[in-house]
Amino acid sequence: MKKIIALVISMMMMLLAVGCGGGDEKKADGDKKITMGFSQIGAESEWRTANTESVKEAAKAAGIDLQFSDAQQKQENQIKAIRSFIAQGVDVIAFVPIVETGWDTVLKEAKDAKIPVIIVDRDLKVEDDSLYVAKIGTNMITEGEKGFEWLAKYANEKQLKPRDGGQKLNIVVLEGTVGSTAALGRTKGFNDAMAASPDKAKFNILASQTGEFTRQKGQEVMESFLKSYGSKIDILVAQNDDMALGAVQAIEAAGLKPGKDITILSFDGVKGIFQAMIEGKTNCTVECNPLQGELLMETAKKVLAGEKVDKIVYVEEGVFPAEVAEATLPSRKY
């Protein structure tokens, strides 16, 4: 009888141990992992690649399940991706708007589904700001202002003279994607700063055309500028570094020295442009910091925890002329 009782007690203890272990496992499985749907505009430049990698690495480090979609530069693809995220029932949606307008309907669908939306990098315009909870990224208008301020100072210090013997320094502009925040903001910031400057009479915008933020298109448009205006061009303003690097090829093919015959100002601050500055082929880049992933994940976690977050948060950015390129390049992360 004692043996039977001991056996029964032993079996009960084993069952209890299994039961406790099973309870712990169930609790672990019940800890819901955050799922984020993220729509990127594409991979048109070194900057965009760095931005994408920053988001992916930060999601992994934060333990967030990232559902990634590449829109390939098409707004309709982004809208489809956002609707797919809604259908999947993700916890939060983040995306980089290709253009500023046309988002009201799909973001209203996300809001109706009670899925918070975070805007990354670029801005958008909606009738109701409550359609998104936060915007993180960069101030494109300020970048444009910084660009002109550097150019005006550089022109005075170097005593730049028009190549055609005229009275004004002629500028050609390689714009970004039509309708994008980066193109609109940098254009506005640059033009407003020039209009307000005591040196405004020294400059003239000769031509402005989109290079679509790509190196190939930047080269093509610069070739066209050189054919049309030749020696009238004194300054190139490229609204991203990749277009500037494409333009460098066009300028060299025309028998000119980029960075010397034509002063080159660009935006983003990728490693490739630092190397070009070291080689004397471009003159300055205004930083647009793509490393926004960590801030995005922190913001998403706060939003889902019910914490209050700022509506707009900007990352830090600087201005890098050619003189500091060699010393700065080793520390660049993108």
Side-chain angles (χ1 to χ4, degrees):
M1 180 62 71
K2 289 181 179 179
K3 289 183 178 181
I4 294 173
I5 292 172
L7 181 61
V8 170
I9 291 172
S10 177
M11 291 177 66
M12 288 177 66
M13 290 179 68
M14 289 175 64
L15 287 169
L16 182 60
V18 172
C20 290
D24 287 345
E25 185 176 339
K26 184 177 181 181
K27 183 178 180 181
D29 290 342
D31 290 340
K32 189 177 185 300
K33 189 174 185 179
I34 294 173
T35 300
M36 173 186 287
F38 179 74
S39 176
Q40 180 61 278
I41 64 173
E44 81 286 359
S45 62
E46 285 185 56
W47 191 98
R48 188 59 56 193
T49 300
N51 183 240
T52 295
E53 289 306 309
S54 173
V55 170
K56 288 182 175 180
E57 290 172 5
K60 185 177 181 180
I64 291 176
D65 180 17
L66 188 72
Q67 301 297 311
F68 181 84
S69 175
D70 183 339
Q72 299 180 333
Q73 302 294 328
K74 296 180 180 179
Q75 185 180 27
E76 58 266 31
N77 288 346
Q78 279 199 305
I79 292 173
K80 287 177 183 177
I82 293 170
R83 287 189 169 131
S84 175
F85 296 149
I86 294 169
Q88 293 174 45
V90 300
D91 299 300
V92 58
I93 292 171
F95 75 107
V96 181
I98 292 176
V99 294
E100 288 194 343
T101 59
W103 305 104
D104 295 77
T105 300
V106 71
L107 295 191
K108 178 67 165 54
E109 293 170 16
K111 184 177 180 180
D112 290 344
K114 302 188 185 309
I115 301 174
V117 175
I118 300 173
I119 309 305
V120 182
D121 178 34
R122 297 181 176 181
D123 293 322
L124 48 63
K125 293 179 180 178
V126 289
E127 292 182 3
D128 179 7
D129 282 347
S130 72
L131 294 179
Y132 64 94
V133 295
K135 186 265 177 178
I136 65 172
T138 58
N139 191 326
M140 309 294 183
I141 294 175
T142 300
E143 290 170 5
E145 293 170 348
K146 289 178 179 178
F148 178 78
E149 288 166 3
W150 172 85
L151 181 60
K153 182 179 179 181
Y154 181 83
N156 286 330
E157 289 178 350
K158 300 296 183 181
Q159 298 183 340
L160 294 184
K161 303 295 182 184
R163 292 171 59 225
D164 67 351
Q167 299 300 310
K168 295 189 176 186
L169 293 166
N170 287 314
I171 302 169
V172 293
V173 181
L174 285 172
E175 299 175 14
T177 304
V178 176
S180 68
T181 298
L184 294 171
R186 288 169 186 167
T187 298
K188 176 175 173 54
F190 187 92
N191 290 349
D192 286 355
M194 183 167 68
S197 172
D199 294 318
K200 63 182 178 182
K202 296 180 181 179
F203 300 95
N204 172 57
I205 295 180
L206 190 63
S208 185
Q209 184 176 329
T210 181
E212 299 175 3
F213 281 139
T214 68
R215 192 171 304 197
Q216 181 178 349
K217 192 68 175 178
Q219 180 178 352
E220 290 175 5
V221 177
M222 192 65 204
E223 287 172 353
S224 176
F225 283 158
L226 288 164
K227 288 177 182 177
S228 298
Y229 303 106
S231 63
K232 290 183 179 293
I233 301 173
D234 302 301
I235 298 163
L236 166 65
V237 175
Q239 290 184 348
N240 83 341
D241 294 332
D242 279 73
M243 291 190 296
L245 293 171
V248 164
Q249 293 178 281
I251 294 168
E252 289 180 324
L256 298 171
K257 293 181 178 180
K260 294 181 176 63
D261 294 323
I262 298 177
T263 299
I264 300 177
L265 164 68
S266 60
F267 296 79
D268 280 355
V270 300
K271 286 183 177 180
I273 207 71
F274 278 81
Q275 186 59 47
M277 286 192 288
I278 291 169
E279 294 171 2
K281 295 182 179 182
T282 67
N283 306 89
C284 182
T285 184
V286 178
E287 184 179 38
C288 182
N289 190 344
L291 306 181
Q292 302 165 12
E294 185 175 349
L295 182 57
L296 171 59
M297 301 310 153
E298 290 175 358
T299 303
K301 285 186 173 183
K302 288 180 180 179
V303 168
L304 293 173
E307 297 180 33
K308 186 177 180 180
V309 298
D310 292 334
K311 192 72 173 180
I312 302 176
V313 182
Y314 292 127
V315 291
E316 294 184 5
E317 301 173 316
V319 178
F320 299 92
E323 306 89 81
V324 304
E326 189 168 4
T328 306
L329 179 57
S331 64
R332 299 300 290 174
K333 295 181 180 180
Y334 52 91

